[in-house]
Amino acid sequence: ADHKQPVSFIQVICNYYIPFLKVMFTAAELGVFDLLLESGKLMPSTTIAERLGTSFTGMERLLDTCVGLKLLRVERTGTLYGSTEFSNLYLAESSPKSQYHHMMFFSEITFLNLNYLTDAVSPVGKIYGDSSSNLFDVIFRSEGEMKRFSHSMNSNWHLCGRDVMAAFNLSHFPLICDLGGSGCGLAKECIALYPNSTVTIFDLPNVVEMAKKHFVSPEEHRITFHEGDFFKDPIPEADLYILARILHDWDDEKCVQLLTRLHKACKPGGGVLVVEVVLNEDRSGPLEAHLQSMLMLLLTEGKERTPSEYNALFSAAGFKEVQLKKCQLYDAILGRK
């Protein structure tokens, strides 16, 4: 083993990977990718800086760095900058597959609070620099925060939603209830894939009010809403219940409590579809699951789990038939009554 290799790895992470993320977030937040997409042409750095209200020097350095990271392209003869297929598709806010809101949530919430990861691992268990606060305090403190979080979740479903909804044939579940699906992104993928289905979004009253205003048109009658707390209030009637990125927010006791409530609400033959990043049984990976689990340690009381751990949760709640299907990023677990 070359002792220089670890040093090189650390230097790459510290000097390049972390700055790369912040450069990408900054260019997106300032509107660089949207400006170049909307203009449809190459532009000099001075024009971009003037249009976006930034310093000329700072913008030129930001653009050159984005070119080096292959987020933008440049024609050196006239020093003109342009967008790439990647930036148009994923980094511009106006793109249907945009990851803009996910990046902004990560930049403004997750990135900031990674400063407290040491505290979260230590016995003190500080979160957001204040042990009395958690992720949900931040998400629900205003309509703007709720909207931003829902946009962030939708960014994932634009890319992975169809994949997880097609993991199992759900066509025999015409009445579906999505718990905590405020952004309606997964519900929209569901009704597109299964035209005979309807989806009820079950979420807190203030979240439902925000979702109706920003995420679904009044003409879309296949998506409806039900207000309530899914830990306390009656569960709406449905053939299938969806828990997409919900269980990883909670400890085992809360998960069993919620799954038990859903088991009681289920008709015979009904089911619960859980969507999460599932750890390998031997916990060897995937890396995405371990990184998500660290974020859950920092932001919530939950964690990512192995297949046997999910089987145990379903079994404790009364479900007898549980199936797992691996997907592109998020995996699908279907429990049947």
Side-chain angles (χ1 to χ4, degrees), residues 187-206:
K188 290 176 182 177
E189 295 294 338
C190 183
I191 62 174
L193 191 60
Y194 304 105
N196 294 324
S197 69
T198 60
V199 180
T200 298
I201 305 294
F202 184 24
D203 220 318
L204 298 171
N206 55 342

PDB file of all heavy atoms in Angstrom, residues 187-206:
ATOM      1  N   ALA A 187     -47.107  10.997  -6.788  1.00  0.00           N
ATOM      2  CA  ALA A 187     -48.512  10.787  -7.166  1.00  0.00           C
ATOM      3  C   ALA A 187     -48.701  11.007  -8.665  1.00  0.00           C
ATOM      4  O   ALA A 187     -49.423  10.257  -9.334  1.00  0.00           O
ATOM      5  CB  ALA A 187     -49.411  11.724  -6.375  1.00  0.00           C
ATOM      6  N   LYS A 188     -48.036  12.005  -9.221  1.00  0.00           N
ATOM      7  CA  LYS A 188     -48.153  12.277 -10.657  1.00  0.00           C
ATOM      8  C   LYS A 188     -47.528  11.155 -11.488  1.00  0.00           C
ATOM      9  O   LYS A 188     -48.059  10.782 -12.542  1.00  0.00           O
ATOM     10  CB  LYS A 188     -47.489  13.615 -10.982  1.00  0.00           C
ATOM     11  CG  LYS A 188     -48.257  14.813 -10.431  1.00  0.00           C
ATOM     12  CD  LYS A 188     -47.522  16.124 -10.681  1.00  0.00           C
ATOM     13  CE  LYS A 188     -48.285  17.297 -10.071  1.00  0.00           C
ATOM     14  NZ  LYS A 188     -47.559  18.586 -10.248  1.00  0.00           N
ATOM     15  N   GLU A 189     -46.404  10.618 -11.002  1.00  0.00           N
ATOM     16  CA  GLU A 189     -45.799   9.478 -11.702  1.00  0.00           C
ATOM     17  C   GLU A 189     -46.736   8.278 -11.638  1.00  0.00           C
ATOM     18  O   GLU A 189     -46.855   7.511 -12.607  1.00  0.00           O
ATOM     19  CB  GLU A 189     -44.451   9.120 -11.074  1.00  0.00           C
ATOM     20  CG  GLU A 189     -43.379  10.188 -11.221  1.00  0.00           C
ATOM     21  CD  GLU A 189     -42.961  10.416 -12.656  1.00  0.00           C
ATOM     22  OE1 GLU A 189     -43.170   9.512 -13.495  1.00  0.00           O
ATOM     23  OE2 GLU A 189     -42.427  11.507 -12.962  1.00  0.00           O
ATOM     24  N   CYS A 190     -47.415   8.119 -10.511  1.00  0.00           N
ATOM     25  CA  CYS A 190     -48.309   6.973 -10.311  1.00  0.00           C
ATOM     26  C   CYS A 190     -49.500   7.016 -11.271  1.00  0.00           C
ATOM     27  O   CYS A 190     -49.800   6.030 -11.944  1.00  0.00           O
ATOM     28  CB  CYS A 190     -48.791   6.955  -8.861  1.00  0.00           C
ATOM     29  SG  CYS A 190     -49.823   5.540  -8.450  1.00  0.00           S
ATOM     30  N   ILE A 191     -50.166   8.159 -11.359  1.00  0.00           N
ATOM     31  CA  ILE A 191     -51.349   8.229 -12.214  1.00  0.00           C
ATOM     32  C   ILE A 191     -50.973   8.206 -13.692  1.00  0.00           C
ATOM     33  O   ILE A 191     -51.781   7.818 -14.548  1.00  0.00           O
ATOM     34  CB  ILE A 191     -52.222   9.459 -11.889  1.00  0.00           C
ATOM     35  CG1 ILE A 191     -51.457  10.763 -12.121  1.00  0.00           C
ATOM     36  CG2 ILE A 191     -52.757   9.388 -10.468  1.00  0.00           C
ATOM     37  CD1 ILE A 191     -52.311  12.013 -11.958  1.00  0.00           C
ATOM     38  N   ALA A 192     -49.739   8.623 -14.005  1.00  0.00           N
ATOM     39  CA  ALA A 192     -49.279   8.532 -15.397  1.00  0.00           C
ATOM     40  C   ALA A 192     -49.015   7.077 -15.777  1.00  0.00           C
ATOM     41  O   ALA A 192     -49.311   6.659 -16.897  1.00  0.00           O
ATOM     42  CB  ALA A 192     -48.012   9.366 -15.585  1.00  0.00           C
ATOM     43  N   LEU A 193     -48.484   6.312 -14.844  1.00  0.00           N
ATOM     44  CA  LEU A 193     -48.161   4.915 -15.101  1.00  0.00           C
ATOM     45  C   LEU A 193     -49.387   4.012 -15.009  1.00  0.00           C
ATOM     46  O   LEU A 193     -49.512   3.029 -15.742  1.00  0.00           O
ATOM     47  CB  LEU A 193     -47.094   4.448 -14.099  1.00  0.00           C
ATOM     48  CG  LEU A 193     -46.434   3.095 -14.347  1.00  0.00           C
ATOM     49  CD1 LEU A 193     -45.710   3.073 -15.695  1.00  0.00           C
ATOM     50  CD2 LEU A 193     -45.449   2.784 -13.221  1.00  0.00           C
ATOM     51  N   TYR A 194     -50.315   4.375 -14.108  1.00  0.00           N
ATOM     52  CA  TYR A 194     -51.537   3.580 -13.895  1.00  0.00           C
ATOM     53  C   TYR A 194     -52.747   4.505 -14.084  1.00  0.00           C
ATOM     54  O   TYR A 194     -53.259   5.079 -13.123  1.00  0.00           O
ATOM     55  CB  TYR A 194     -51.532   2.968 -12.495  1.00  0.00           C
ATOM     56  CG  TYR A 194     -50.307   2.119 -12.219  1.00  0.00           C
ATOM     57  CD1 TYR A 194     -49.277   2.593 -11.401  1.00  0.00           C
ATOM     58  CD2 TYR A 194     -50.166   0.859 -12.784  1.00  0.00           C
ATOM     59  CE1 TYR A 194     -48.151   1.827 -11.156  1.00  0.00           C
ATOM     60  CE2 TYR A 194     -49.043   0.080 -12.542  1.00  0.00           C
ATOM     61  CZ  TYR A 194     -48.033   0.574 -11.728  1.00  0.00           C
ATOM     62  OH  TYR A 194     -46.915  -0.191 -11.491  1.00  0.00           O
ATOM     63  N   PRO A 195     -53.213   4.659 -15.322  1.00  0.00           N
ATOM     64  CA  PRO A 195     -54.264   5.636 -15.641  1.00  0.00           C
ATOM     65  C   PRO A 195     -55.578   5.409 -14.897  1.00  0.00           C
ATOM     66  O   PRO A 195     -56.361   6.351 -14.736  1.00  0.00           O
ATOM     67  CB  PRO A 195     -54.469   5.457 -17.153  1.00  0.00           C
ATOM     68  CG  PRO A 195     -53.213   4.813 -17.635  1.00  0.00           C
ATOM     69  CD  PRO A 195     -52.729   3.952 -16.516  1.00  0.00           C
ATOM     70  N   ASN A 196     -55.827   4.197 -14.423  1.00  0.00           N
ATOM     71  CA  ASN A 196     -57.081   3.915 -13.720  1.00  0.00           C
ATOM     72  C   ASN A 196     -56.981   4.158 -12.207  1.00  0.00           C
ATOM     73  O   ASN A 196     -57.938   3.919 -11.474  1.00  0.00           O
ATOM     74  CB  ASN A 196     -57.514   2.468 -13.969  1.00  0.00           C
ATOM     75  CG  ASN A 196     -57.869   2.217 -15.423  1.00  0.00           C
ATOM     76  OD1 ASN A 196     -58.418   3.090 -16.092  1.00  0.00           O
ATOM     77  ND2 ASN A 196     -57.532   1.037 -15.923  1.00  0.00           N
ATOM     78  N   SER A 197     -55.841   4.623 -11.756  1.00  0.00           N
ATOM     79  CA  SER A 197     -55.657   4.838 -10.323  1.00  0.00           C
ATOM     80  C   SER A 197     -55.974   6.272  -9.923  1.00  0.00           C
ATOM     81  O   SER A 197     -55.944   7.193 -10.746  1.00  0.00           O
ATOM     82  CB  SER A 197     -54.218   4.514  -9.923  1.00  0.00           C
ATOM     83  OG  SER A 197     -53.321   5.479 -10.463  1.00  0.00           O
ATOM     84  N   THR A 198     -56.302   6.453  -8.647  1.00  0.00           N
ATOM     85  CA  THR A 198     -56.418   7.779  -8.036  1.00  0.00           C
ATOM     86  C   THR A 198     -55.530   7.783  -6.806  1.00  0.00           C
ATOM     87  O   THR A 198     -55.329   6.744  -6.162  1.00  0.00           O
ATOM     88  CB  THR A 198     -57.862   8.100  -7.629  1.00  0.00           C
ATOM     89  OG1 THR A 198     -58.318   7.122  -6.672  1.00  0.00           O
ATOM     90  CG2 THR A 198     -58.785   8.103  -8.827  1.00  0.00           C
ATOM     91  N   VAL A 199     -54.992   8.946  -6.477  1.00  0.00           N
ATOM     92  CA  VAL A 199     -54.077   9.055  -5.343  1.00  0.00           C
ATOM     93  C   VAL A 199     -54.569  10.131  -4.385  1.00  0.00           C
ATOM     94  O   VAL A 199     -54.847  11.260  -4.800  1.00  0.00           O
ATOM     95  CB  VAL A 199     -52.640   9.391  -5.799  1.00  0.00           C
ATOM     96  CG1 VAL A 199     -51.714   9.492  -4.586  1.00  0.00           C
ATOM     97  CG2 VAL A 199     -52.124   8.338  -6.767  1.00  0.00           C
ATOM     98  N   THR A 200     -54.661   9.765  -3.118  1.00  0.00           N
ATOM     99  CA  THR A 200     -54.967  10.717  -2.054  1.00  0.00           C
ATOM    100  C   THR A 200     -53.680  11.049  -1.309  1.00  0.00           C
ATOM    101  O   THR A 200     -52.978  10.146  -0.839  1.00  0.00           O
ATOM    102  CB  THR A 200     -55.986  10.138  -1.055  1.00  0.00           C
ATOM    103  OG1 THR A 200     -57.211   9.872  -1.731  1.00  0.00           O
ATOM    104  CG2 THR A 200     -56.250  11.120   0.083  1.00  0.00           C
ATOM    105  N   ILE A 201     -53.351  12.326  -1.230  1.00  0.00           N
ATOM    106  CA  ILE A 201     -52.202  12.782  -0.463  1.00  0.00           C
ATOM    107  C   ILE A 201     -52.662  13.018   0.975  1.00  0.00           C
ATOM    108  O   ILE A 201     -53.543  13.842   1.227  1.00  0.00           O
ATOM    109  CB  ILE A 201     -51.606  14.087  -1.036  1.00  0.00           C
ATOM    110  CG1 ILE A 201     -51.262  13.936  -2.524  1.00  0.00           C
ATOM    111  CG2 ILE A 201     -50.391  14.509  -0.223  1.00  0.00           C
ATOM    112  CD1 ILE A 201     -50.160  12.978  -2.824  1.00  0.00           C
ATOM    113  N   PHE A 202     -52.071  12.289   1.919  1.00  0.00           N
ATOM    114  CA  PHE A 202     -52.414  12.438   3.329  1.00  0.00           C
ATOM    115  C   PHE A 202     -51.267  13.167   4.020  1.00  0.00           C
ATOM    116  O   PHE A 202     -50.165  12.648   4.141  1.00  0.00           O
ATOM    117  CB  PHE A 202     -52.625  11.052   3.954  1.00  0.00           C
ATOM    118  CG  PHE A 202     -53.080  11.069   5.392  1.00  0.00           C
ATOM    119  CD1 PHE A 202     -53.746  12.146   5.930  1.00  0.00           C
ATOM    120  CD2 PHE A 202     -52.838   9.973   6.214  1.00  0.00           C
ATOM    121  CE1 PHE A 202     -54.177  12.148   7.252  1.00  0.00           C
ATOM    122  CE2 PHE A 202     -53.261   9.950   7.538  1.00  0.00           C
ATOM    123  CZ  PHE A 202     -53.931  11.050   8.054  1.00  0.00           C
ATOM    124  N   ASP A 203     -51.548  14.408   4.452  1.00  0.00           N
ATOM    125  CA  ASP A 203     -50.484  15.203   5.063  1.00  0.00           C
ATOM    126  C   ASP A 203     -51.095  16.201   6.037  1.00  0.00           C
ATOM    127  O   ASP A 203     -52.326  16.344   6.119  1.00  0.00           O
ATOM    128  CB  ASP A 203     -49.663  15.933   3.990  1.00  0.00           C
ATOM    129  CG  ASP A 203     -48.167  15.926   4.302  1.00  0.00           C
ATOM    130  OD1 ASP A 203     -47.806  16.137   5.474  1.00  0.00           O
ATOM    131  OD2 ASP A 203     -47.361  15.718   3.368  1.00  0.00           O
ATOM    132  N   LEU A 204     -50.241  16.914   6.761  1.00  0.00           N
ATOM    133  CA  LEU A 204     -50.689  17.891   7.753  1.00  0.00           C
ATOM    134  C   LEU A 204     -51.471  19.020   7.084  1.00  0.00           C
ATOM    135  O   LEU A 204     -51.213  19.351   5.916  1.00  0.00           O
ATOM    136  CB  LEU A 204     -49.487  18.453   8.502  1.00  0.00           C
ATOM    137  CG  LEU A 204     -48.662  17.433   9.307  1.00  0.00           C
ATOM    138  CD1 LEU A 204     -47.384  18.082   9.822  1.00  0.00           C
ATOM    139  CD2 LEU A 204     -49.483  16.878  10.464  1.00  0.00           C
ATOM    140  N   PRO A 205     -52.431  19.623   7.797  1.00  0.00           N
ATOM    141  CA  PRO A 205     -53.298  20.646   7.178  1.00  0.00           C
ATOM    142  C   PRO A 205     -52.544  21.777   6.494  1.00  0.00           C
ATOM    143  O   PRO A 205     -52.889  22.157   5.362  1.00  0.00           O
ATOM    144  CB  PRO A 205     -54.117  21.158   8.367  1.00  0.00           C
ATOM    145  CG  PRO A 205     -54.180  19.999   9.305  1.00  0.00           C
ATOM    146  CD  PRO A 205     -52.850  19.306   9.180  1.00  0.00           C
ATOM    147  N   ASN A 206     -51.506  22.327   7.148  1.00  0.00           N
ATOM    148  CA  ASN A 206     -50.783  23.446   6.525  1.00  0.00           C
ATOM    149  C   ASN A 206     -49.991  22.996   5.303  1.00  0.00           C
ATOM    150  O   ASN A 206     -49.803  23.751   4.343  1.00  0.00           O
ATOM    151  CB  ASN A 206     -49.872  24.138   7.541  1.00  0.00           C
ATOM    152  CG  ASN A 206     -48.907  23.183   8.227  1.00  0.00           C
ATOM    153  OD1 ASN A 206     -49.101  21.967   8.211  1.00  0.00           O
ATOM    154  ND2 ASN A 206     -47.877  23.725   8.848  1.00  0.00           N
TER     155      ASN A 206
END
